[in-house]
Amino acid sequence: MDDDGKLDAREFHFLNEVATGPRPLAHRLSASGRKWLKAIEGLRLMPYDDGTGQPVEEWRRGATIGYGHLILPAEWERFRNGIDQQWAESLLRFDLRDVEHSVVQRFRDCPCLQGRSERGLQQHEFDALVILAFNIGAGALNLSSVAAMICEAPDVRIPYTELESAWMAWRWSDGEELEGLIRRRAGEWRIFCSADYALPLPQVLSTSSRLAE
């Protein structure tokens, strides 16, 4: 990366090769889903605290940049002086690849979804789950009541009677119920149920909820 935060040609080529390499279109977030995710995450070209939205000048847990990219300690020197929009777009493609793959793997073999599509989910359902996983973490989604209920897991103890309740449970961060997360979960749920990609109003930046249920 150049000193001004722009990708050099080698870095840009590498990130895009990794992020857009061979994958079936059925395994990718749709254009509508991507637009929704970008709008709800918001674009920040300088590092900020994901919990407070305030700028940060040194690495801390929750340091974030671009469209919700959590900065690892080893990445701090690369991102501390900011990035440009091209870099942010590439980071989003890179981050989405692992999330998309995880959602495909988790739901593809659920018996109750067999025969519905190549990945077992309709596109709008897949989009909603990817957007949820992008926020709470793919591992958290895989182990969640949401995933268990969608797959009708017979041997999993689930503390909810309705899928919507399990979905909306992801509205807490550090023990605090957040209005931004309530709005985000409601928007994701509308996508999942009815392919309604209308953004929550008023639009709010998301706050990550990375706690277990």
Side-chain angles (χ1 to χ4, degrees), residues 6-202:
K6 294 182 178 179
L7 283 172
D8 61 35
R10 180 181 58 81
E11 289 175 315
F12 181 75
H13 177 73
F14 171 74
L15 260 188
N16 281 279
E17 279 261 310
V18 173
T20 61
R23 276 182 301 156
L25 288 176
H27 295 179
R28 298 182 186 179
L29 190 66
S30 72
S32 294
R34 182 183 174 86
K35 181 179 179 180
W36 197 96
L37 177 62
K38 289 171 67 174
I40 204 72
E41 288 289 344
L43 174 60
R44 300 283 294 270
L45 299 180
M46 293 295 295
Y48 67 97
D49 187 306
D50 191 48
T52 66
Q54 297 301 309
V56 295
E57 297 182 355
E58 59 184 20
W59 186 88
R60 66 182 66 174
R61 182 176 177 269
T64 306
I65 200 165
Y67 295 104
H69 174 78
L70 285 174
I71 302 172
L72 300 175
E75 296 177 327
W76 178 250
E77 288 304 315
R78 169 169 287 191
F79 295 133
R80 66 183 304 164
N81 294 320
I83 59 176
D84 63 8
Q85 185 166 353
Q86 180 189 54
W87 189 218
E89 296 282 349
S90 294
L91 275 175
L92 178 61
R93 286 193 291 270
F94 187 83
D95 290 341
L96 276 173
R97 183 181 175 90
D98 285 344
V99 177
E100 291 164 338
H101 177 73
S102 179
V103 173
V104 169
Q105 292 297 108
R106 177 64 177 88
F107 295 97
R108 181 173 56 188
D109 297 325
C110 294
C112 62
L113 300 177
Q114 293 302 304
R116 298 181 65 204
S117 69
E118 179 181 344
R119 58 173 176 258
L121 296 163
Q122 301 301 316
Q123 182 66 55
H124 62 280
E125 296 170 333
F126 178 75
D127 286 351
L129 287 163
V130 168
I131 293 168
L132 175 61
F134 189 88
N135 186 230
I136 69 174
L141 175 63
N142 287 345
L143 297 174
S144 70
S145 296
V146 169
M149 293 180 79
I150 291 173
C151 287
E152 298 179 1
D155 301 322
V156 178
R157 187 176 180 181
I158 300 171
Y160 307 100
T161 58
E162 297 180 353
L163 179 58
E164 182 178 6
S165 298
W167 199 295
M168 293 300 296
W170 291 94
R171 64 186 186 275
W172 301 81
S173 180
D174 295 329
E176 181 181 0
E177 186 178 37
L178 299 180
E179 180 65 25
L181 287 178
I182 293 172
R183 293 180 185 276
R184 180 176 179 136
R185 296 291 92 87
E188 294 162 351
W189 181 247
R190 286 195 298 272
I191 295 173
F192 184 85
C193 290
S194 56
D196 178 359
Y197 290 85
L199 281 164
L201 296 176

